[in-house]
Amino acid sequence: MFKKTSLIFMFSAGLFSINAQQTIPFRITKHNNIIVKTLVNKQDSLDLMFQIAMEDASISPDRKRRADHLIFDKNEISEKNTVQIGKFALNNVRFFNNELTGHEADGKIGTGMFAGKTFKIDYDNNRFEIYDKQPDLKGYQGMMLLNENGQFFINADNIIDGNLQQEAYFLLQSGYSGALLYSNDFAEEKNLDKMLKVTSEKTMKNSSGESIVTKQGILPFFKLNNSVLKDVPAGFFVGKRKTQAVNYFGADMMRRFIWIFDADRKTVYIKPSKYFSEDYYKIK
């Protein structure tokens, strides 16, 4: 699944024309999503959710604000747009139409705005920091970052039963408000329905009328490098109809760390944030 890829970013390098460190402010919603205020094509003021699992941008059919100056082709793609975030201007931004997004957002914006640069997600100070050179890494732990078509995977240990550690890869998914969401394969192989303490269950119907059952359990321990979190909420699907192909490391887990991604996206450095020991987000 994981291989080295050559990425082509659609965002202008003009954002990084100054050698000094750059910052972009954001706010965190009560659902753990990161929101940045943008001006698209110098006309449309949109609140976009930062989605670390994508490179480009999109707008939602449920947006609260108008996006009249995005022109989409027959494939629902809009090319060569500008996005202004504070004093920073991005050019040649590609938008996709009608993609669902998080609460309080009109759409999404991805990691393309950091193309070729080291960047930090600083949850303590509600801002992104962008570097031309590697910043001070004192107090941080380095981890291998697996990059698959612009999506980032990290490796962690899941302690399900006693001291037995089950290794797994997780997709960083800042659009998922919860903590962990396991893939169908992992949930079945590790028999999570019986091994975890289940706290809730929800049944939904898809467009074909088929039932999709999700459960929330409690993972006793989760180990990411030298950091250990206890009693972590973990979702998974049960029944005949399942929809989850990969494990998610959600926004609730991401906010518990400060992240520095190196420029070539092969290594990520983490340290606990002020939210590390906060109560977990409850999926409703």
Side-chain angles (χ1 to χ4, degrees), residues 31-100:
H31 303 284
N32 299 323
N33 301 131
I34 289 175
I35 303 291
V36 293
K37 287 190 170 297
T38 70
L39 184 65
V40 177
N41 292 331
K42 301 181 180 180
Q43 300 285 336
D44 299 322
S45 296
L46 299 175
D47 283 1
L48 299 181
M49 182 195 79
F50 174 66
Q51 172 54 287
I52 197 169
M54 67 184 288
E55 294 176 341
D56 298 304
S58 68
I59 58 170
S60 169
D62 300 325
R63 61 187 179 275
K64 299 287 180 62
R65 298 165 185 83
R66 299 173 68 92
D68 296 335
H69 298 84
L70 282 167
I71 308 300
F72 292 93
D73 62 21
K74 63 181 181 180
N75 296 315
E76 301 292 346
I77 298 173
S78 180
E79 304 276 8
K80 298 182 179 179
N81 300 285
T82 64
V83 176
Q84 188 170 343
I85 308 174
K87 62 181 180 179
F88 304 119
L90 307 173
N91 298 313
N92 297 322
V93 181
R94 174 188 293 160
F95 274 82
F96 295 91
N97 199 12
N98 293 325
E99 289 191 359
L100 296 179

Side-chain angles (χ1 to χ4, degrees), residues 253-267:
M253 296 293 277
M254 288 199 66
R255 74 184 175 103
R256 297 172 190 276
F257 300 89
I258 297 174
W259 305 75
I260 297 177
F261 295 81
D262 70 356
D264 63 7
R265 309 295 186 254
K266 293 182 179 179
T267 308

Side-chain angles (χ1 to χ4, degrees), residues 14 33 39 41 115 128 161 173 185 189-190 196 237 252 273:
N33 301 131
L39 184 65
N41 292 331
F128 297 110
D161 183 20
Q173 175 51 276
D185 290 344
E189 180 184 344
K190 308 305 178 186
L196 297 185
F237 291 85
D252 187 17
S273 74

Side-chain angles (χ1 to χ4, degrees), residues 21 30 56 73 82 87 98-99 111 131-132 147 175 177 217 225 238 257 261 281:
Q21 171 185 326
K30 65 181 180 180
D56 298 304
D73 62 21
T82 64
K87 62 181 180 179
N98 293 325
E99 289 191 359
T111 57
Y131 303 90
D132 288 313
N147 185 342
S177 296
N225 261 22
V238 297
F257 300 89
F261 295 81
Y281 177 85

